[in-house]
């Protein structure tokens, strides 16, 4: 149901209006290829993966390639040592559109990483959709997260825990 709701909410967005997204892995210049689940998540959330044509799995690239792709949004895997502030303060990244506009995010993780092909990835897709298209998906992200963890793990998240998870 969540995936259908996200798909319906983003279906009318023309390709040229969809944000170009880069997913970063364990290091700043290690990116998810177009063949990876993370790139599919970006597409399901209404974005365009800048690495769509990149084969294989996690790939090491250079800053010149990042500048060529020039993503509108950068999403960092939750298990990465890289933090948004690292890219936002690095002069090598200053010309990248996502850095210029401050659209660099670290994906949340509670029990397991939301970018892996596991049930929690539905939360990752919804989170991405909210980042890429704020307010467009008619689901409450916080309530959906609470419901998911209650239903699947019998874990009740407090408002403070939810805010910490979402970096609020």
């Amino acid at each position: 149901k969540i995936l259908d709701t996200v798909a319906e909410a983003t279906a009318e967005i023309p390709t040229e209006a969809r944000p170009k997204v880069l997913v970063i892995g364990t290091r700043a210049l290690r990116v998810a290829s177009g063949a990876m689940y993370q790139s599919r998540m970006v597409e399901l959330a209404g974005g365009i993966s800048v690495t769509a044509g990149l084969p294989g799995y996690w790939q090491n690239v250079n800053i010149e390639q990042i500048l060529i792709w020039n993503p509108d949004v950068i999403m960092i895997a939750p298990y990465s040592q890289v933090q948004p502030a690292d890219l936002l303060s690095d002069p090598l990244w200053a010309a990248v559109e996502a850095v210029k506009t401050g659209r660099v995010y670290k994906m949340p993780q509670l029990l397991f990483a939301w970018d892996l092909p596991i049930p929690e990835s539905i939360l990752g897709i919804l989170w991405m959709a909210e980042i890429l298209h704020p307010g467009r998906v008619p689901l409450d992200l916080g309530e959906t997260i609470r419901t998911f963890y209650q239903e699947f793990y019998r874990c009740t998240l407090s408002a403070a825990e939810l805010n910490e998870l979402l970096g609020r």
Side-chain angles (χ1 to χ4, degrees):
K1 289 172 103 176
I2 293 169
L3 196 53
D4 287 346
T5 302
V6 171
E8 186 176 310
T10 60
E12 300 296 320
I13 301 171
T15 302
E16 61 275 2
R18 291 175 183 259
K20 298 180 301 177
V21 181
L22 175 66
V23 178
I24 290 177
T26 54
R27 295 185 309 275
L29 296 174
R30 189 155 176 84
V31 301
S33 76
M36 292 184 68
Y37 186 67
Q38 290 82 353
S39 291
R40 181 70 178 129
M41 290 175 70
V42 167
E43 295 163 3
L44 290 168
I48 297 172
S49 173
V50 297
T51 61
L54 194 62
Y57 297 98
W58 291 107
Q59 297 285 329
N60 294 320
V61 296
N62 57 37
I63 192 65
E64 290 81 7
Q65 182 60 63
I66 304 285
L67 290 165
I68 291 168
W69 285 327
N70 197 24
D72 301 309
V73 178
I74 296 173
M75 297 186 175
I76 304 168
Y79 39 83
S80 179
Q81 297 301 313
V82 179
Q83 299 298 322
D86 299 335
L87 303 182
L88 293 169
S89 65
D90 188 332
L92 289 175
W93 289 75
V96 176
E97 185 64 24
V99 173
K100 288 194 283 190
T101 59
R103 296 191 74 193
V104 180
Y105 307 93
K106 185 141 186 181
M107 183 176 276
Q109 171 180 334
L110 185 58
L111 299 175
F112 302 101
W114 288 4
D115 73 323
L116 300 176
I118 60 174
E120 278 162 297
S121 70
I122 194 66
L123 300 176
I125 294 167
L126 181 56
W127 175 83
M128 284 182 172
E130 186 59 30
I131 294 291
L132 299 178
H133 309 288
R136 188 172 187 113
V137 179
L139 293 173
D140 182 294
L141 178 61
E143 191 55 39
T144 303
I145 292 167
R146 277 195 184 120
T147 300
F148 180 93
Y149 282 106
Q150 180 62 47
E151 185 172 328
F152 290 99
Y153 295 109
R154 301 292 181 235
C155 173
T156 304
L157 296 177
S158 70
E161 290 167 327
L162 184 61
N163 286 338
E164 183 178 339
L165 176 66
L166 296 175
R168 297 179 184 162

